[in-house]
Amino acid sequence: MSNPDADPWASPLSTAAPDEVALLDDPQEWSAFGKPCASTPAGADAQAGPWESHVVLDGMHCAACALTIEEALRRVPGVAEADVSAATRRARVVWDPRRVRPSQWMGAVQKAGYRALPALDALAREQRQRENRKALWRWLVAGFCMMQVMMYAWPAYQAMPGDLTMEMEQLLRWASWVISLPVVLFACGPFFSSALRDIRQRRVSMDLPVALGMLITFVVSMAGTFDPTGPFGREVYYDSLTMFVFFLLTGRWLELRLRDRTAGALEAVMNRLPDSVERRAEDGSFTRVATRRLQAGDVVRVLPGEAFPADGRILSGGTQADEALLTGESTPVDRPEGSRVTAGSYNLRAPVTVEVLALGSETRFGQIVALMESASLQKPRLAQLADRVARPFLVAVLLAAGLAAVWWWPSDPSHALMVAVAVLIVTCPCALSLATPVAMLTAAGTLARRGVLVRNLQGLEALAAVDTVVFDKTGTLTRDGLALHSVHVAPGAGWGEGEALALASALAAHSLHPASRALASAAQSAAAPAGWTVHAVQELPGAGLVARASSPSHAQETILRLGSAAHARVPAVGGDAGPQVVLSMECEGAAVEIARFVLSEQLRPEVAAVVRGLRAEGVAVELLSGDRAESVQRVAAQAGIGQARGDCTPQDKLAHLQTLQAQGHHVAMVGDGLNDGPVLAGAHVSFAFGRAVPLAQSRSDFVVMGENLALVAQALWLARRTLRIVRQNLWWAAAYNALCVPLAIAGYMPAWLAGLGMALSSLLVVLNAARLARLPDPLSHESSGDCAGAARAVSTPLEVV
């Protein structure tokens, strides 16, 4: 893309940019493209702590540009962190509003020769569409002029000595020069403006050698046209110039479109909220306002086809909502009057009036966007290596071109300069800089559409090497909804079943564990036994709940325990009915059993197919759980898992994981719950389900938004495929340079062929990565081997995703 500051065809929007940027200094606008950092106290003034903002960058397209912008931002006082992604052209900036304003650090980006726009603003999308149209016009002009120049160059190639008079040959040269002017002045604009920016900033980017090659070719050809008897008059190269400009623009245009369709899926999700919404005024009328102007308590009207702008409650009307982004299931859900709706879901059926309850980062959609933004700006290890070598490589390119020109100059100055042009163009490391990030972001976008959010791009590299997957049981292999099967009151305890269940639910209401939710759900209409009060409830991860309780019949407070038999300090009773939860109380220093609650759990229907698919990929599967060993073995047998251990504390799980790692295994952990936090953090790569408690999500590399366990196996298969494509891209980039650089230095590669090679190398890398945007149909025969078997095993439940 061109730089509006230097491009004479820049849109009028660019002239208004300073005013637009200054508007962003208003604290009310900050939430449109950022959020307060976690260290800022909740409810504090907007300017009380640092902010994390995300912006879209215009005018960049390579790793060297990303490094330049990072350096410019980090030099601004008050900017604590700056991360720039060349693949997504986005930046994350952490800044202190007490020392700097957005207009100042955005101004630093502009001084570096680029432009920053709010990432979630409609202005960024409009600017991108405008630049896409300008890029298309440049490509069309270059293509039309190339055809005309080739028509005038053809007689010189075909004519025998003496067929063309000097006057006719000179006329053809002048015609070619005139037709080449629009190519140089308009189509080459982005390359020249970027090169001038680099020269002013005393740095090197990928456009500098390309622009030098274009300028040298045009100047040499123009010298041959104006002075046909001079040292450069033997031949002109307008055809080579127009051809390689056309090839380069073709490659960039196709690359831009492909990246928008593949890695651009991330941005499509992040821009899901509407730009504006109808808000009810005091007189009852509705006026359209910007979504970022909404506040909690506002009442808005959402029309069919619009996305809900915030979490809220329907005040009037009823509809259906598409919550595929939030749950992974595309089946519409009914949302009658009084029900809750979530930001980012779509209203499908009828207009509804909604009271705004939560906005921005407080919504589930905001949490999803935060995860995706974090992932899109991360740099995998291979991409970091490409960034480090980008600038030294470009300096080496310039030196190689200069040495090639010096070597050939004594024999033919004109040919020497064209050899230097070929070296400058053919060695541009665009393919190298795109090899890793485009593939990684394409895979992340594909997984996002399937319902898996990639929180850590490094996790894709780690996941590809996994040879062992460890599953938690409750809520992971089994359905989240445990149900109460039966209640067994201890003989002589003096409690009724309803009273015991009500007392247990009073404790269970303080926990998110599936067993606790089952008890709380079974006793929704029940109240605690008369006279009993429960307080000081604590949850012991992997064990159960403990609380203090008092009643008129007990002179002193007593301690209640709810959880496993060991936690309740009562003897364990075997049985195959299902998992059990025990309620006990302390009486004169001894634990007295009140009741046992037998819960039923159901294995997810896709579990057996997932285990078979993982084994087909050569991955070992194990099960670790804090439940009773009998229950764990029963579930493992149903799932087809050979290695299973029960009665595990969080420390036991982590110790077993570390033992596997010490044996050389690469382990992935799939868990859901408070007690999975340590083992999720200790695994090479980890998955947490979207309904999991925040601690489990914060320690995971992947978040599965839906209920489908098959997505774990799908992610593993895609990660392996992604790493294969990254290696293919890197090998291609290395082989291309190893083959073409010697040919260019030896003088066997004309400038037009160098331009074609550079464009095709970048395009091939992006096309190869684009294959990750589509997973093969599990019922087709396009794939073969274990990967196809895994896809067949795990993809069937994903048809509705």
Side-chain angles (χ1 to χ4, degrees), residues 555-580:
Q556 297 180 343
E557 286 187 339
T558 186
I559 296 177
L560 296 178
R561 296 180 182 275
L562 180 69
S564 64
H567 172 70
R569 300 179 180 179
V570 298
V573 177
D576 295 331
Q580 298 181 6

PDB file of all heavy atoms in Angstrom, residues 555-580:
ATOM      1  N   ALA A 555     -25.364 -25.568  70.160  1.00  0.00           N
ATOM      2  CA  ALA A 555     -24.891 -24.426  70.942  1.00  0.00           C
ATOM      3  C   ALA A 555     -23.702 -23.755  70.271  1.00  0.00           C
ATOM      4  O   ALA A 555     -23.513 -22.546  70.387  1.00  0.00           O
ATOM      5  CB  ALA A 555     -24.519 -24.889  72.352  1.00  0.00           C
ATOM      6  N   GLN A 556     -22.884 -24.533  69.572  1.00  0.00           N
ATOM      7  CA  GLN A 556     -21.709 -23.996  68.916  1.00  0.00           C
ATOM      8  C   GLN A 556     -21.798 -24.222  67.405  1.00  0.00           C
ATOM      9  O   GLN A 556     -22.546 -25.079  66.931  1.00  0.00           O
ATOM     10  CB  GLN A 556     -20.434 -24.661  69.460  1.00  0.00           C
ATOM     11  CG  GLN A 556     -20.179 -24.398  70.933  1.00  0.00           C
ATOM     12  CD  GLN A 556     -18.900 -25.081  71.394  1.00  0.00           C
ATOM     13  OE1 GLN A 556     -18.383 -25.964  70.733  1.00  0.00           O
ATOM     14  NE2 GLN A 556     -18.410 -24.663  72.572  1.00  0.00           N
ATOM     15  N   GLU A 557     -21.010 -23.423  66.666  1.00  0.00           N
ATOM     16  CA  GLU A 557     -20.940 -23.609  65.219  1.00  0.00           C
ATOM     17  C   GLU A 557     -20.329 -24.973  64.908  1.00  0.00           C
ATOM     18  O   GLU A 557     -19.490 -25.486  65.657  1.00  0.00           O
ATOM     19  CB  GLU A 557     -20.084 -22.521  64.561  1.00  0.00           C
ATOM     20  CG  GLU A 557     -20.753 -21.179  64.479  1.00  0.00           C
ATOM     21  CD  GLU A 557     -19.933 -20.192  63.674  1.00  0.00           C
ATOM     22  OE1 GLU A 557     -18.700 -20.421  63.531  1.00  0.00           O
ATOM     23  OE2 GLU A 557     -20.503 -19.215  63.185  1.00  0.00           O
ATOM     24  N   THR A 558     -20.799 -25.528  63.822  1.00  0.00           N
ATOM     25  CA  THR A 558     -20.255 -26.799  63.377  1.00  0.00           C
ATOM     26  C   THR A 558     -19.682 -26.632  61.980  1.00  0.00           C
ATOM     27  O   THR A 558     -19.999 -25.673  61.276  1.00  0.00           O
ATOM     28  CB  THR A 558     -21.339 -27.897  63.357  1.00  0.00           C
ATOM     29  OG1 THR A 558     -20.720 -29.148  63.055  1.00  0.00           O
ATOM     30  CG2 THR A 558     -22.406 -27.585  62.323  1.00  0.00           C
ATOM     31  N   ILE A 559     -18.851 -27.564  61.591  1.00  0.00           N
ATOM     32  CA  ILE A 559     -18.212 -27.519  60.283  1.00  0.00           C
ATOM     33  C   ILE A 559     -18.883 -28.529  59.365  1.00  0.00           C
ATOM     34  O   ILE A 559     -19.049 -29.697  59.729  1.00  0.00           O
ATOM     35  CB  ILE A 559     -16.702 -27.830  60.392  1.00  0.00           C
ATOM     36  CG1 ILE A 559     -16.009 -26.736  61.209  1.00  0.00           C
ATOM     37  CG2 ILE A 559     -16.065 -27.937  59.005  1.00  0.00           C
ATOM     38  CD1 ILE A 559     -14.531 -26.986  61.424  1.00  0.00           C
ATOM     39  N   LEU A 560     -19.294 -28.059  58.178  1.00  0.00           N
ATOM     40  CA  LEU A 560     -19.891 -28.903  57.152  1.00  0.00           C
ATOM     41  C   LEU A 560     -18.872 -29.151  56.046  1.00  0.00           C
ATOM     42  O   LEU A 560     -18.107 -28.255  55.684  1.00  0.00           O
ATOM     43  CB  LEU A 560     -21.143 -28.255  56.558  1.00  0.00           C
ATOM     44  CG  LEU A 560     -22.340 -28.032  57.491  1.00  0.00           C
ATOM     45  CD1 LEU A 560     -23.454 -27.339  56.735  1.00  0.00           C
ATOM     46  CD2 LEU A 560     -22.831 -29.360  58.066  1.00  0.00           C
ATOM     47  N   ARG A 561     -18.875 -30.356  55.533  1.00  0.00           N
ATOM     48  CA  ARG A 561     -17.986 -30.708  54.417  1.00  0.00           C
ATOM     49  C   ARG A 561     -18.823 -31.348  53.315  1.00  0.00           C
ATOM     50  O   ARG A 561     -19.670 -32.202  53.591  1.00  0.00           O
ATOM     51  CB  ARG A 561     -16.879 -31.672  54.861  1.00  0.00           C
ATOM     52  CG  ARG A 561     -15.933 -31.083  55.892  1.00  0.00           C
ATOM     53  CD  ARG A 561     -14.853 -32.068  56.297  1.00  0.00           C
ATOM     54  NE  ARG A 561     -13.984 -31.511  57.307  1.00  0.00           N
ATOM     55  CZ  ARG A 561     -12.919 -30.747  57.040  1.00  0.00           C
ATOM     56  NH1 ARG A 561     -12.598 -30.485  55.774  1.00  0.00           N
ATOM     57  NH2 ARG A 561     -12.180 -30.266  58.017  1.00  0.00           N
ATOM     58  N   LEU A 562     -18.522 -30.950  52.072  1.00  0.00           N
ATOM     59  CA  LEU A 562     -19.217 -31.498  50.916  1.00  0.00           C
ATOM     60  C   LEU A 562     -18.173 -31.825  49.852  1.00  0.00           C
ATOM     61  O   LEU A 562     -17.423 -30.946  49.419  1.00  0.00           O
ATOM     62  CB  LEU A 562     -20.236 -30.494  50.354  1.00  0.00           C
ATOM     63  CG  LEU A 562     -21.025 -30.961  49.120  1.00  0.00           C
ATOM     64  CD1 LEU A 562     -21.989 -32.084  49.472  1.00  0.00           C
ATOM     65  CD2 LEU A 562     -21.800 -29.784  48.498  1.00  0.00           C
ATOM     66  N   GLY A 563     -18.100 -33.091  49.465  1.00  0.00           N
ATOM     67  CA  GLY A 563     -17.126 -33.475  48.452  1.00  0.00           C
ATOM     68  C   GLY A 563     -16.917 -34.983  48.448  1.00  0.00           C
ATOM     69  O   GLY A 563     -17.866 -35.756  48.671  1.00  0.00           O
ATOM     70  N   SER A 564     -15.682 -35.378  48.195  1.00  0.00           N
ATOM     71  CA  SER A 564     -15.382 -36.796  48.177  1.00  0.00           C
ATOM     72  C   SER A 564     -15.467 -37.373  49.591  1.00  0.00           C
ATOM     73  O   SER A 564     -15.475 -36.639  50.586  1.00  0.00           O
ATOM     74  CB  SER A 564     -13.981 -37.025  47.612  1.00  0.00           C
ATOM     75  OG  SER A 564     -13.007 -36.442  48.468  1.00  0.00           O
ATOM     76  N   ALA A 565     -15.508 -38.695  49.668  1.00  0.00           N
ATOM     77  CA  ALA A 565     -15.578 -39.350  50.986  1.00  0.00           C
ATOM     78  C   ALA A 565     -14.342 -39.015  51.814  1.00  0.00           C
ATOM     79  O   ALA A 565     -14.428 -38.792  53.027  1.00  0.00           O
ATOM     80  CB  ALA A 565     -15.727 -40.861  50.810  1.00  0.00           C
ATOM     81  N   ALA A 566     -13.187 -38.962  51.168  1.00  0.00           N
ATOM     82  CA  ALA A 566     -11.971 -38.621  51.900  1.00  0.00           C
ATOM     83  C   ALA A 566     -12.041 -37.203  52.431  1.00  0.00           C
ATOM     84  O   ALA A 566     -11.618 -36.926  53.563  1.00  0.00           O
ATOM     85  CB  ALA A 566     -10.751 -38.786  50.986  1.00  0.00           C
ATOM     86  N   HIS A 567     -12.574 -36.271  51.620  1.00  0.00           N
ATOM     87  CA  HIS A 567     -12.705 -34.889  52.074  1.00  0.00           C
ATOM     88  C   HIS A 567     -13.716 -34.797  53.212  1.00  0.00           C
ATOM     89  O   HIS A 567     -13.519 -34.031  54.176  1.00  0.00           O
ATOM     90  CB  HIS A 567     -13.138 -34.013  50.901  1.00  0.00           C
ATOM     91  CG  HIS A 567     -13.475 -32.608  51.292  1.00  0.00           C
ATOM     92  ND1 HIS A 567     -12.535 -31.691  51.695  1.00  0.00           N
ATOM     93  CD2 HIS A 567     -14.676 -31.958  51.341  1.00  0.00           C
ATOM     94  CE1 HIS A 567     -13.121 -30.538  51.969  1.00  0.00           C
ATOM     95  NE2 HIS A 567     -14.418 -30.672  51.767  1.00  0.00           N
ATOM     96  N   ALA A 568     -14.793 -35.558  53.115  1.00  0.00           N
ATOM     97  CA  ALA A 568     -15.822 -35.535  54.168  1.00  0.00           C
ATOM     98  C   ALA A 568     -15.405 -36.316  55.403  1.00  0.00           C
ATOM     99  O   ALA A 568     -16.115 -36.298  56.413  1.00  0.00           O
ATOM    100  CB  ALA A 568     -17.131 -36.093  53.615  1.00  0.00           C
ATOM    101  N   ARG A 569     -14.236 -37.016  55.283  1.00  0.00           N
ATOM    102  CA  ARG A 569     -13.691 -37.769  56.412  1.00  0.00           C
ATOM    103  C   ARG A 569     -14.607 -38.883  56.877  1.00  0.00           C
ATOM    104  O   ARG A 569     -14.809 -39.113  58.087  1.00  0.00           O
ATOM    105  CB  ARG A 569     -13.357 -36.827  57.572  1.00  0.00           C
ATOM    106  CG  ARG A 569     -12.325 -35.770  57.211  1.00  0.00           C
ATOM    107  CD  ARG A 569     -12.022 -34.836  58.353  1.00  0.00           C
ATOM    108  NE  ARG A 569     -11.027 -33.830  57.944  1.00  0.00           N
ATOM    109  CZ  ARG A 569     -10.581 -32.851  58.734  1.00  0.00           C
ATOM    110  NH1 ARG A 569     -11.043 -32.758  59.979  1.00  0.00           N
ATOM    111  NH2 ARG A 569      -9.694 -31.992  58.284  1.00  0.00           N
ATOM    112  N   VAL A 570     -15.209 -39.567  55.906  1.00  0.00           N
ATOM    113  CA  VAL A 570     -16.052 -40.718  56.203  1.00  0.00           C
ATOM    114  C   VAL A 570     -15.579 -41.866  55.327  1.00  0.00           C
ATOM    115  O   VAL A 570     -14.898 -41.654  54.311  1.00  0.00           O
ATOM    116  CB  VAL A 570     -17.546 -40.424  55.939  1.00  0.00           C
ATOM    117  CG1 VAL A 570     -18.035 -39.300  56.848  1.00  0.00           C
ATOM    118  CG2 VAL A 570     -17.773 -40.074  54.471  1.00  0.00           C
ATOM    119  N   PRO A 571     -15.889 -43.104  55.659  1.00  0.00           N
ATOM    120  CA  PRO A 571     -15.428 -44.248  54.843  1.00  0.00           C
ATOM    121  C   PRO A 571     -16.015 -44.198  53.440  1.00  0.00           C
ATOM    122  O   PRO A 571     -17.163 -43.797  53.238  1.00  0.00           O
ATOM    123  CB  PRO A 571     -15.928 -45.463  55.623  1.00  0.00           C
ATOM    124  CG  PRO A 571     -16.175 -44.957  57.006  1.00  0.00           C
ATOM    125  CD  PRO A 571     -16.599 -43.533  56.879  1.00  0.00           C
ATOM    126  N   ALA A 572     -15.200 -44.588  52.464  1.00  0.00           N
ATOM    127  CA  ALA A 572     -15.658 -44.668  51.076  1.00  0.00           C
ATOM    128  C   ALA A 572     -16.483 -45.922  50.895  1.00  0.00           C
ATOM    129  O   ALA A 572     -16.208 -46.960  51.492  1.00  0.00           O
ATOM    130  CB  ALA A 572     -14.474 -44.675  50.119  1.00  0.00           C
ATOM    131  N   VAL A 573     -17.519 -45.821  50.095  1.00  0.00           N
ATOM    132  CA  VAL A 573     -18.394 -46.949  49.792  1.00  0.00           C
ATOM    133  C   VAL A 573     -18.335 -47.185  48.300  1.00  0.00           C
ATOM    134  O   VAL A 573     -18.619 -46.275  47.506  1.00  0.00           O
ATOM    135  CB  VAL A 573     -19.846 -46.681  50.236  1.00  0.00           C
ATOM    136  CG1 VAL A 573     -20.735 -47.856  49.832  1.00  0.00           C
ATOM    137  CG2 VAL A 573     -19.897 -46.449  51.732  1.00  0.00           C
ATOM    138  N   GLY A 574     -17.922 -48.358  47.870  1.00  0.00           N
ATOM    139  CA  GLY A 574     -17.818 -48.669  46.451  1.00  0.00           C
ATOM    140  C   GLY A 574     -19.174 -48.813  45.818  1.00  0.00           C
ATOM    141  O   GLY A 574     -20.214 -48.872  46.473  1.00  0.00           O
ATOM    142  N   GLY A 575     -19.160 -48.895  44.518  1.00  0.00           N
ATOM    143  CA  GLY A 575     -20.397 -49.058  43.759  1.00  0.00           C
ATOM    144  C   GLY A 575     -20.217 -48.558  42.356  1.00  0.00           C
ATOM    145  O   GLY A 575     -19.363 -47.730  42.094  1.00  0.00           O
ATOM    146  N   ASP A 576     -21.026 -49.070  41.471  1.00  0.00           N
ATOM    147  CA  ASP A 576     -20.932 -48.698  40.072  1.00  0.00           C
ATOM    148  C   ASP A 576     -22.055 -47.770  39.650  1.00  0.00           C
ATOM    149  O   ASP A 576     -22.281 -47.552  38.466  1.00  0.00           O
ATOM    150  CB  ASP A 576     -20.968 -49.965  39.185  1.00  0.00           C
ATOM    151  CG  ASP A 576     -19.744 -50.841  39.421  1.00  0.00           C
ATOM    152  OD1 ASP A 576     -18.690 -50.275  39.767  1.00  0.00           O
ATOM    153  OD2 ASP A 576     -19.868 -52.074  39.266  1.00  0.00           O
ATOM    154  N   ALA A 577     -22.803 -47.246  40.625  1.00  0.00           N
ATOM    155  CA  ALA A 577     -23.930 -46.396  40.243  1.00  0.00           C
ATOM    156  C   ALA A 577     -23.463 -45.110  39.594  1.00  0.00           C
ATOM    157  O   ALA A 577     -24.116 -44.572  38.721  1.00  0.00           O
ATOM    158  CB  ALA A 577     -24.780 -46.084  41.473  1.00  0.00           C
ATOM    159  N   GLY A 578     -22.331 -44.598  40.007  1.00  0.00           N
ATOM    160  CA  GLY A 578     -21.840 -43.356  39.450  1.00  0.00           C
ATOM    161  C   GLY A 578     -21.079 -42.570  40.498  1.00  0.00           C
ATOM    162  O   GLY A 578     -20.889 -43.022  41.628  1.00  0.00           O
ATOM    163  N   PRO A 579     -20.613 -41.375  40.137  1.00  0.00           N
ATOM    164  CA  PRO A 579     -19.868 -40.567  41.101  1.00  0.00           C
ATOM    165  C   PRO A 579     -20.744 -40.165  42.288  1.00  0.00           C
ATOM    166  O   PRO A 579     -21.946 -39.971  42.149  1.00  0.00           O
ATOM    167  CB  PRO A 579     -19.445 -39.342  40.263  1.00  0.00           C
ATOM    168  CG  PRO A 579     -20.395 -39.302  39.123  1.00  0.00           C
ATOM    169  CD  PRO A 579     -20.756 -40.723  38.835  1.00  0.00           C
ATOM    170  N   GLN A 580     -20.096 -40.076  43.452  1.00  0.00           N
ATOM    171  CA  GLN A 580     -20.821 -39.748  44.664  1.00  0.00           C
ATOM    172  C   GLN A 580     -20.243 -38.496  45.310  1.00  0.00           C
ATOM    173  O   GLN A 580     -19.041 -38.240  45.254  1.00  0.00           O
ATOM    174  CB  GLN A 580     -20.748 -40.908  45.674  1.00  0.00           C
ATOM    175  CG  GLN A 580     -21.385 -42.193  45.178  1.00  0.00           C
ATOM    176  CD  GLN A 580     -21.309 -43.283  46.227  1.00  0.00           C
ATOM    177  OE1 GLN A 580     -20.881 -43.043  47.365  1.00  0.00           O
ATOM    178  NE2 GLN A 580     -21.723 -44.496  45.860  1.00  0.00           N
TER     179      GLN A 580
END
